Amino acid sequence: DAGVIQSPRHEVTEMGQEVTLRCKPISGHDYLFWYRQTMMRGLELLIYFNNNVPIDDSGMPEDRFSAKMPNASFSTLKIQPSEPRDSAVYFCASRLGGRDNSPLHFGNGTRLTVT
Amino acid sequence: GDSVTQMEGPVTLSEEAFLTINCTYTATGYPSLFWYVQYPGEGLQLLLKATKADDKGSNKGFEATYRKETTSFHLEKGSVQVSDSAVYFCALGNTGTASKLTFGTGTRLQVTL
């Protein structure tokens, strides 16, 4: 299996621009998670989906952030408009089932820099 | 709510030294416990796990034992290598929190020759 695939690996954009991050989970996994990692705040859960339906978006920082999962093999995280404080590494992860002992599988992340 | 506390880093060791990274947790019920490792420029990957009290998870020379009496899951390795330099995250999964894993803040390990 190719694992969780994220694109792009790096994104540099100017403040005010729209940014779209993409994720392809592992085939057959029914849970998908978006995380953000920064030095200051560590690893933060932004939102997660079960069977393409958003379950908990309480970690989404502002209305500028939105996430969709139109089908089982694709998800996007959009920031509009972007701000310098959004600079971080964004990870997508997927998981099979909701059992407490099933591990998360992470992608290699998208490093976002907003200037 | 559930929480995980890890020792502050960075931890700097010489090659072949013994490693311990402390992890304690707070949770209701009987959570599963995990250690994840993050190498530079990569996502987190599962290192080992334990699903019930007294279980020992092990992988690549690393071990951790699920201690319910002390609510701990300390990571150990008898002889570290330079290639073990990474950030290590302790995490727990609990049916009471649906499918979300609760992560610690991570501990950076630097191994030198």
Side-chain angles (χ1 to χ4, degrees):
Chain A
D1 198 319
V4 176
I5 299 173
Q6 292 187 245
S7 64
R9 285 301 308 274
H10 303 274
E11 177 78 42
V12 180
T13 190
E14 292 183 347
M15 182 174 63
Q17 296 298 305
E18 177 180 296
V19 175
T20 299
L21 311 181
R22 296 172 175 80
C23 175
K24 176 179 169 55
I26 291 174
S27 177
H29 281 192
D30 52 350
Y31 282 82
L32 183 140
F33 302 78
W34 282 100
Y35 286 88
R36 178 172 69 177
Q37 186 178 41
T38 61
M39 290 293 291
M40 291 298 295
R41 295 185 297 271
L43 195 65
E44 302 173 279
L45 176 63
L46 300 178
I47 185 172
Y48 78 93
F49 296 81
N50 176 217
N51 291 323
N52 314 338
V53 176
I55 302 301
D56 184 351
D57 64 355
S58 59
M60 296 285 262
E62 300 172 32
D63 291 345
R64 299 184 295 106
F65 286 70
S66 62
K68 294 182 179 180
M69 192 165 185
N71 57 62
S73 59
F74 184 65
S75 177
T76 59
L77 177 68
K78 185 178 294 187
I79 308 172
Q80 166 64 17
S82 58
E83 297 183 4
R85 59 194 168 118
D86 301 331
S87 297
V89 181
Y90 290 81
F91 289 103
C92 177
S94 69
R95 189 180 187 190
L96 176 61
R99 293 171 298 124
D100 58 5
N101 61 0
S102 63
L104 281 174
H105 297 261
F106 284 79
N108 283 332
T110 295
R111 180 174 296 278
L112 173 64
T113 303
V114 183
T115 60
Chain B
D2 295 347
S3 67
V4 174
T5 302
Q6 287 183 239
M7 63 188 290
E8 291 278 334
V11 174
T12 302
L13 295 173
S14 298
E15 201 169 44
E16 299 183 0
F18 184 86
L19 168 71
T20 300
I21 300 178
N22 290 337
C23 171
T24 57
Y25 68 90
T26 301
T28 56
Y30 302 93
S32 293
L33 300 173
F34 305 85
W35 276 101
Y36 283 80
V37 59
Q38 183 179 28
Y39 298 104
E42 298 183 11
L44 283 71
Q45 55 186 274
L46 180 67
L47 180 60
L48 54 84
K49 70 177 184 181
T51 59
K52 61 182 186 296
D54 300 324
D55 266 4
K56 177 185 284 188
S58 61
N59 186 24
K60 299 180 182 180
F62 291 89
E63 294 183 339
T65 301
Y66 188 160
R67 302 284 188 200
K68 191 165 178 63
E69 64 276 14
T70 54
T71 61
S72 65
F73 193 55
H74 304 321
L75 182 68
E76 297 181 336
K77 186 174 185 182
S79 176
V80 293
Q81 305 299 310
V82 172
S83 58
D84 294 327
S85 298
V87 181
Y88 293 81
F89 292 86
C90 186
L92 72 83
N94 201 339
T95 52
T97 55
S99 292
K100 294 188 288 188
L101 291 188
T102 301
F103 284 91
T105 53
T107 302
R108 181 175 298 278
L109 170 65
Q110 182 70 43
V111 181
T112 59
L113 289 171

